[in-house]
């Protein structure tokens, strides 16, 4: 069964450093998403991406965040200057067209720890 | 602001029992609801969804009930198994493709 993969599984970084979280969505999916989950809290939407551009983003997704689809398979989330409060699980998800199905497939997540 | 929440943070059941997980929502404009399962160390996994023009939908061992009058959503799991142990989130959508998640209920199934 096809699945979304994410690397690394755990990333430790120092405050102020840049991090790039990587995702490989399911190959025939066209819509991509990033979510985060701070420990013990709700899953929160960050951004959605379609046709090489951001389609929706939340208030969390400020200028410190960016997304990119550098090639035909990877989808990345970059945090330019990490803060302590960026420590969380980051989930990538992908889906077919929402006109067909709302079902999103989530990856296993990357645990980001900012020290 | 609008929110989606869960009544019970933890539910413990015996293997073989039926489980009911509840969710309250407050956004009356929500027209689509989803239940996700999240096992330890994994991402959320879609279980079942329901549109606001329905009040019941059944899947394999799972049933979702929607009561729009009281803005309440429930997930029923029949013959609960140890593999069902996980955190269950409800989520809602209203006017967007992006779900808003609740905090989650931890289901613990005792063998």
């Amino acid at each position: 069964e096809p699945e979304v993969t994410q690397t690394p599984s755990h990333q430790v970084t120092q405050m102020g450093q840049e991090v790039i979280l990587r995702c490989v969505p399911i190959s025939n999916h066209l819509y991509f998403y990033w979510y985060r989950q701070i420990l013990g809290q709700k899953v929160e939407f960050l951004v959605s991406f379609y046709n090489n551009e951001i389609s929706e983003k939340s208030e969390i997704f400020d200028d410190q965040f960016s997304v990119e689809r550098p090639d035909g398979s990877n989808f990345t989330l970059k945090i330019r200057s990490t803060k302590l409060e960026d420590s969380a699980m980051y989930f990538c998800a992908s889906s077919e067209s929402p006109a067909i199905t709302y079902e999103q497939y989530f990856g296993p997540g990357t645990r980001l720890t900012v020290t | 602001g609008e929110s989606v929440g869960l009544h019970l943070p933890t539910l413990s059941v015996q293997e073989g029992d039926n489980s009911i997980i509840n969710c309250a929502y407050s956004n009356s404009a929500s027209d689509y609801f989803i239940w996700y399962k999240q096992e330890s160390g994994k991402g959320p996994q879609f279980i079942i969804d329901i549109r606001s023009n329905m009040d019941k939908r059944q899947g394999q061992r799972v049933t979702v009930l929607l009561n729009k009058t009281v803005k309440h959503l429930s997930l029923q799991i029949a013959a609960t198994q140890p593999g069902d142990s996980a955190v269950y989130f409800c989520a809602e959508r209203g006017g967007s493709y992006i779900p808003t998640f609740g905090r989650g209920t931890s289901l613990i199934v005792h063998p």
Side-chain angles (χ1 to χ4, degrees):
Chain A
E1 183 177 336
E3 59 183 17
V4 176
T5 59
Q6 291 185 242
T7 54
S9 57
H10 191 188
Q11 174 84 50
V12 181
T13 189
Q14 289 189 327
M15 192 168 51
Q17 295 297 304
E18 174 184 288
V19 294
I20 297 176
L21 309 183
R22 303 182 189 278
C23 169
V24 178
I26 293 174
S27 61
N28 64 332
H29 286 180
L30 300 176
Y31 291 77
F32 315 116
Y33 313 85
W34 282 102
Y35 295 84
R36 79 172 186 190
Q37 185 178 29
I38 296 171
L39 185 63
Q41 297 188 23
K42 301 177 187 181
V43 175
E44 299 173 289
F45 166 73
L46 294 178
V47 65
S48 61
F49 190 86
Y50 169 70
N51 198 26
N52 284 320
E53 61 183 27
I54 291 173
S55 46
E56 288 188 71
K57 62 181 181 179
S58 71
E59 293 176 351
I60 303 168
F61 194 88
D62 61 22
D63 292 343
Q64 292 298 313
F65 291 88
S66 62
V67 290
E68 190 178 26
R69 187 155 164 82
D71 53 44
S73 60
N74 290 283
F75 179 51
T76 62
L77 175 68
K78 180 191 290 186
I79 309 175
R80 289 187 182 82
S81 179
T82 50
K83 303 185 287 288
L84 294 176
E85 54 265 38
D86 293 327
S87 295
M89 283 292 290
Y90 287 81
F91 294 106
C92 173
S94 69
S95 71
E96 297 180 66
S97 167
I100 298 173
T101 174
Y102 287 138
E103 184 171 351
Q104 296 180 12
Y105 293 80
F106 284 76
T110 291
R111 179 171 298 281
L112 177 64
T113 302
V114 182
T115 61
Chain B
E2 303 284 2
S3 65
V4 176
L6 291 166
H7 292 305
L8 299 174
T10 303
L11 177 64
S12 292
V13 300
Q14 289 296 128
E15 181 178 1
D17 287 352
N18 296 333
S19 301
I20 300 176
I21 300 171
N22 297 303
C23 177
Y25 66 96
S26 56
N27 185 354
S28 55
S30 295
D31 60 359
Y32 179 71
F33 304 88
I34 314 148
W35 280 102
Y36 288 93
K37 173 185 180 183
Q38 187 176 23
E39 296 175 271
S40 180
K42 297 184 179 180
Q45 177 186 2
F46 175 95
I47 302 173
I48 192 167
D49 59 359
I50 188 168
R51 297 183 184 274
S52 60
N53 61 353
M54 304 170 68
D55 53 22
K56 180 179 179 179
R57 189 163 188 227
Q58 289 185 294
Q60 188 177 16
R61 282 202 306 118
V62 295
T63 300
V64 55
L65 299 178
L66 175 63
N67 186 331
K68 295 181 288 295
T69 302
V70 295
K71 296 178 188 170
H72 184 267
L73 190 69
S74 69
L75 176 71
Q76 300 178 2
I77 305 173
T80 315
Q81 303 168 359
D84 295 328
S85 294
V87 176
Y88 290 81
F89 301 92
C90 66
E92 56 87 15
R93 288 184 180 165
S96 165
Y97 295 136
I98 307 304
T100 300
F101 288 85
R103 280 184 57 236
T105 291
S106 176
L107 175 65
I108 300 171
V109 182
H110 301 282

